[in-house]
Amino acid sequence: MTTSTSISVSAPAPANHVYRVCLIGSGGLGTIASLVLVKSGHAHVTVVLRSKYKYITEHGWDIDSIDHGKIQGWRPHRIVASVADAAVNGSEKVEFDYVVVCTKHLPGRHSVSAMIAPVMTAGRTTVVLIQNGLGIEDEIVTAWPSNTVMSGVSHIGSGVEEPNKVVQVGRDVSKVGVHYGLSSVATCSSSSPNPSEIEGVTKTETDLAKIDKRAKSRAKAEAYVAMYNAGGAHKCELVEDIETARWVKLVWNGTFNTVCALTRSSVGELQRSKGREALLVPMMWEIWRIAAASGHPLPETLVKHEAYRLPDDCAYRPSMMLDLENGRPLELDVILGNPLKVARRLGVETPIMDVVYNLLLVESWKMEQRAH
Amino acid sequence: MTTSTSISVSAPAPANHVYRVCLIGSGGLGTIASLVLVKSGHAHVTVVLRSKYKYITEHGWDIDSIDHGKIQGWRPHRIVASVADAAVNGSEKVEFDYVVVCTKHLPGRHSVSAMIAPVMTAGRTTVVLIQNGLGIEDEIVTAWPSNTVMSGVSHIGSGVEEPNKVVQVGRDVSKVGVHYGLSSVATCSSSSPNPSEIEGVTKTETDLAKIDKRAKSRAKAEAYVAMYNAGGAHKCELVEDIETARWVKLVWNGTFNTVCALTRSSVGELQRSKGREALLVPMMWEIWRIAAASGHPLPETLVKHEAYRLPDDCAYRPSMMLDLENGRPLELDVILGNPLKVARRLGVETPIMDVVYNLLLVESWKMEQRAH
């Protein structure tokens, strides 16, 4: 078990404190996260498993992990079949400190804020969204204004082999941070000041309350990160500006992930076909320009770095491609739809993203027809 | 057997004259064309069949045609296994009046001008290209400057069911015309006058020779059209400006055909998904603007007509989609690549076509890799 070496956290969890954690969505990423939280010794972890509830209750997970080695028949502290079941233990209402959401984010299909309602305690429960895309926190911030909302971008490489094997080949590296207000998707009209910029103005009572909430939110985030690193994650980093980190991730995820899906290509195929130069690099610059226009300037070197960091023989088939091949819903709204909303509002031109988005909408529509 | 009702042709084929025709590429379109030419009574038709030579020689074609009814075991006058074989009959060199090319046009793979060389007689043989796309005639016009080069756009709906069944569900409606010079793809720099506009200037000896060649070319085209209509085609129309007709066809073929391929959608699926409004209509306008800029203005009503002429339950799966699904090379160069060359030279912006083209290039590249 390793401890955090990557960040300095000012308020680590008290040595003996155990947080109540509810984790929803136990795929490749969620199962490793639940393992890390259990291993930390600072969490009692309830995992919500819907379709797999019976099988995992009986057999547990067989884990083969670059960070944690091989573990047979592993189970978290408690497994439940629904979020409602997580909220009660016997006749007792469970109050959670953290609700960690590792599901796909599909706003057109279901609302995360409604889904988590049974396990939320106003003013207490911190929401941690480990999900792709942009603007995912807005509905939570709006629905739970007195709660801390965090999100994380994960670079883990981990997948499930049915029925119960989790294979983690890429180390568990992530950045997490607090959302102190709404995202660019909701606020980028730029007439309203960003709540995170409020410290420089004259402090009214409301301002002071906000600053107090910020401090408390930050402490909760620090405790979460300390716990996560204590559980043997490779590197979980607390960042001040998680929205910028989300834009950074989007530079790869909004381009390779979507275009691989559309052309049914692996990352390496797309690179060798010259699709990288013709499509991905200019598409990355579109995302770069939206981020900059919305107050999240990214380094100039980022595009080249993201476009060329993987080898040309990389056989990786990104998540949206696997979803498309398996007829599962695509996370198109949060990965391309929301950035495009920001672009439209700020007048940033996005000719490639527009076409890729509209083509994937056709694919999504077809999958919905087949599902009905 | 019907005769032409749709056009007035000033120089019909002499009643008893029989032209020597070599037809290359006997798929759904080519086989019906060979049937029509044989039925006309004015052609001796040699068909080049490569992979199917042995089977069709033995069994013939089983044809089920909206224009011609059901015919079992049909064969043209002569079947050969290669273009070289077509050129000789015993020890005798065959001089063809018409070489009709119904293959796909894949300039990256093989040159049509080289392919037809064995059956060409300089100054005599007229080439008729019944193929998709734009700029297909340029290499023929360049390689065979003393020959007449015609092309046709066909709206036939006809396909092959392996091994030897041809099912024609859409009537054989086509427009053909003569290429008096190079296409927009080769000439749209606009500094060189279009040879078809030369009649208004002072006539030098060269000009007069050109006018004489035009008259002879036109007579050959008229004879071909008269013959084709005599063979029971639903409607074969001789048009003055075949390049404009090719742009008209491209408005549908460059958009529905390519986007259906990319999204693996039927025409009806694409329409119902709203992909028509988001992608196809603005993409059609891009083609419309390139055509206009290159001196081929199309009617304003054309885009709406082409976008909405097929019903929303249309199950038609266009040719490029079938090629993609079956791992066959895509006619991307002539359907999108050449129009895009014209657009670049004339400064017409084509953001949607660019992306669709580059995405299909990725698909093409992948198919080539698999073929090697």
Side-chain angles (χ1 to χ4, degrees), chain A residues 176-328:
Chain A
V176 298
V178 177
H179 292 280
Y180 296 107
L182 297 174
S183 77
S184 320
V185 178
T187 64
C188 66
S189 65
S190 81
S191 57
S192 57
N194 187 324
S196 66
E197 289 163 7
I198 214 160
E199 283 179 294
V201 304
T202 311
K203 291 173 178 52
T204 65
E205 207 165 312
T206 314
D207 294 335
L208 288 169
K210 280 183 182 164
I211 290 167
D212 182 50
K213 193 196 162 195
R214 281 176 68 89
K216 286 181 177 162
S217 288
R218 186 174 166 93
K220 288 174 178 174
E222 287 174 348
Y224 180 85
V225 168
M227 172 166 64
Y228 203 81
N229 281 303
H234 189 71
K235 183 179 180 184
C236 177
E237 191 181 353
L238 180 62
V239 297
E240 280 304 312
D241 182 358
I242 187 63
E243 192 171 346
T244 296
R246 300 194 75 79
W247 280 107
V248 167
K249 174 137 194 221
L250 208 62
V251 167
W252 196 94
N253 205 33
T255 54
F256 270 96
N257 195 14
T258 57
V259 176
C260 282
L262 204 46
T263 60
R264 278 77 165 169
S265 302
S266 68
V267 168
E269 283 177 327
L270 202 50
Q271 295 183 173
R272 298 200 302 283
S273 76
K274 311 296 173 205
R276 171 166 56 191
E277 287 69 26
L279 287 165
L280 295 177
V281 169
M283 194 177 176
M284 285 178 169
W285 282 113
E286 291 179 3
I287 294 176
W288 191 94
R289 284 191 291 268
I290 311 171
S294 71
H296 302 278
L298 309 179
E300 295 242 350
T301 52
L302 182 70
V303 166
K304 194 171 177 190
H305 173 76
E306 291 293 314
Y308 290 88
R309 74 177 154 88
L310 292 175
D312 274 1
D313 60 356
C314 175
Y316 180 54
R317 295 148 59 80
S319 62
M320 193 177 285
M321 181 183 176
L322 298 178
D323 287 340
L324 191 67
E325 287 183 341
N326 291 288
R328 298 186 298 240

Side-chain angles (χ1 to χ4, degrees), chain B residues 52-132:
Chain B
K52 289 189 188 297
Y53 170 73
K54 194 162 175 293
Y55 197 92
I56 301 301
T57 300
E58 283 172 20
H59 302 90
W61 292 104
D62 292 343
I63 295 171
D64 183 355
S65 159
I66 188 173
D67 287 334
H68 307 281
K70 294 195 181 192
I71 311 172
Q72 294 293 108
W74 181 84
R75 293 176 187 82
H77 298 111
R78 185 173 167 234
I79 302 176
V80 294
S82 71
V83 180
D85 287 353
V88 285
N89 202 350
S91 59
E92 188 194 346
K93 164 93 171 102
V94 184
E95 303 233 318
F96 287 100
D97 299 298
Y98 295 95
V99 170
V100 182
V101 181
C102 302
T103 59
K104 285 206 290 187
H105 200 100
L106 302 165
R109 300 215 157 201
H110 55 75
S111 146
V112 172
S113 59
M115 177 182 76
I116 63 175
V119 286
M120 290 294 289
T121 304
R124 170 173 180 168
T125 311
T126 293
V127 181
V128 187
L129 304 167
I130 315 289
Q131 299 178 297
N132 279 322

Side-chain angles (χ1 to χ4, degrees), chain B residues 81-314:
Chain B
S82 71
V83 180
D85 287 353
V88 285
N89 202 350
S91 59
E92 188 194 346
K93 164 93 171 102
V94 184
E95 303 233 318
F96 287 100
D97 299 298
Y98 295 95
V99 170
V100 182
V101 181
C102 302
T103 59
K104 285 206 290 187
H105 200 100
L106 302 165
R109 300 215 157 201
H110 55 75
S111 146
V112 172
S113 59
M115 177 182 76
I116 63 175
V119 286
M120 290 294 289
T121 304
R124 170 173 180 168
T125 311
T126 293
V127 181
V128 187
L129 304 167
I130 315 289
Q131 299 178 297
N132 279 322
L134 206 75
I136 57 169
E137 71 278 15
D138 290 333
E139 60 159 317
I140 319 289
V141 168
T142 304
W144 304 95
S146 68
N147 292 60
T148 298
V149 179
M150 299 164 58
S151 82
V153 290
S154 171
H155 295 277
I156 197 172
S158 182
V160 173
E161 293 175 8
E162 297 298 333
N164 69 329
K165 186 163 189 189
V166 173
V167 180
Q168 184 202 347
V169 294
R171 291 198 181 277
D172 187 358
V173 174
S174 62
K175 293 184 178 183
V176 298
V178 177
H179 293 279
Y180 296 107
L182 296 173
S183 76
S184 320
V185 178
T187 63
C188 66
S189 64
S190 80
S191 57
S192 57
N194 187 324
S196 66
E197 289 163 7
I198 214 160
E199 283 180 295
V201 303
T202 310
K203 291 173 180 54
T204 64
E205 206 163 313
T206 314
D207 294 334
L208 289 169
K210 281 181 181 165
I211 291 167
D212 182 51
K213 194 195 162 196
R214 282 176 69 91
K216 287 182 176 160
S217 289
R218 187 174 165 94
K220 288 173 179 174
E222 287 173 349
Y224 180 84
V225 168
M227 171 166 64
Y228 203 81
N229 281 305
H234 188 71
K235 182 178 179 184
C236 177
E237 190 181 354
L238 180 62
V239 297
E240 279 304 313
D241 181 358
I242 188 62
E243 192 171 346
T244 295
R246 301 195 75 81
W247 280 106
V248 167
K249 174 139 194 222
L250 207 62
V251 166
W252 196 94
N253 205 33
T255 55
F256 271 96
N257 195 13
T258 57
V259 176
C260 282
L262 204 46
T263 60
R264 278 76 165 167
S265 303
S266 69
V267 167
E269 284 176 327
L270 203 50
Q271 295 183 173
R272 299 200 302 284
S273 76
K274 310 297 173 206
R276 172 167 53 191
E277 286 70 27
L279 287 165
L280 295 178
V281 169
M283 194 178 177
M284 285 177 169
W285 281 113
E286 292 179 2
I287 294 175
W288 190 94
R289 284 191 290 270
I290 310 170
S294 71
H296 302 278
L298 310 179
E300 295 243 349
T301 52
L302 181 70
V303 166
K304 194 171 176 190
H305 173 75
E306 291 293 314
Y308 290 88
R309 74 177 154 89
L310 292 174
D312 274 2
D313 61 356
C314 174

Side-chain angles (χ1 to χ4, degrees), chain A residues 62-182:
Chain A
D62 292 342
I63 294 170
D64 183 354
S65 158
I66 189 172
D67 287 335
H68 308 281
K70 294 195 181 192
I71 311 171
Q72 294 292 109
W74 181 84
R75 293 176 186 81
H77 298 111
R78 186 174 166 233
I79 301 174
V80 294
S82 71
V83 180
D85 287 353
V88 286
N89 202 350
S91 60
E92 188 194 348
K93 163 93 173 103
V94 183
E95 303 232 317
F96 287 100
D97 299 298
Y98 295 94
V99 171
V100 182
V101 181
C102 303
T103 58
K104 283 204 290 188
H105 200 100
L106 301 166
R109 300 215 158 200
H110 55 74
S111 145
V112 172
S113 59
M115 177 182 75
I116 64 175
V119 286
M120 289 295 289
T121 304
R124 170 172 180 168
T125 311
T126 294
V127 181
V128 187
L129 304 167
I130 315 289
Q131 298 178 297
N132 279 324
L134 205 76
I136 57 170
E137 70 278 15
D138 290 333
E139 60 159 318
I140 320 289
V141 168
T142 305
W144 305 95
S146 68
N147 292 62
T148 297
V149 179
M150 300 164 57
S151 82
V153 290
S154 171
H155 294 275
I156 197 171
S158 182
V160 173
E161 293 175 7
E162 298 297 334
N164 70 328
K165 186 163 190 189
V166 173
V167 180
Q168 183 202 347
V169 294
R171 293 199 179 275
D172 186 359
V173 174
S174 62
K175 294 183 179 184
V176 298
V178 177
H179 292 280
Y180 296 107
L182 297 174

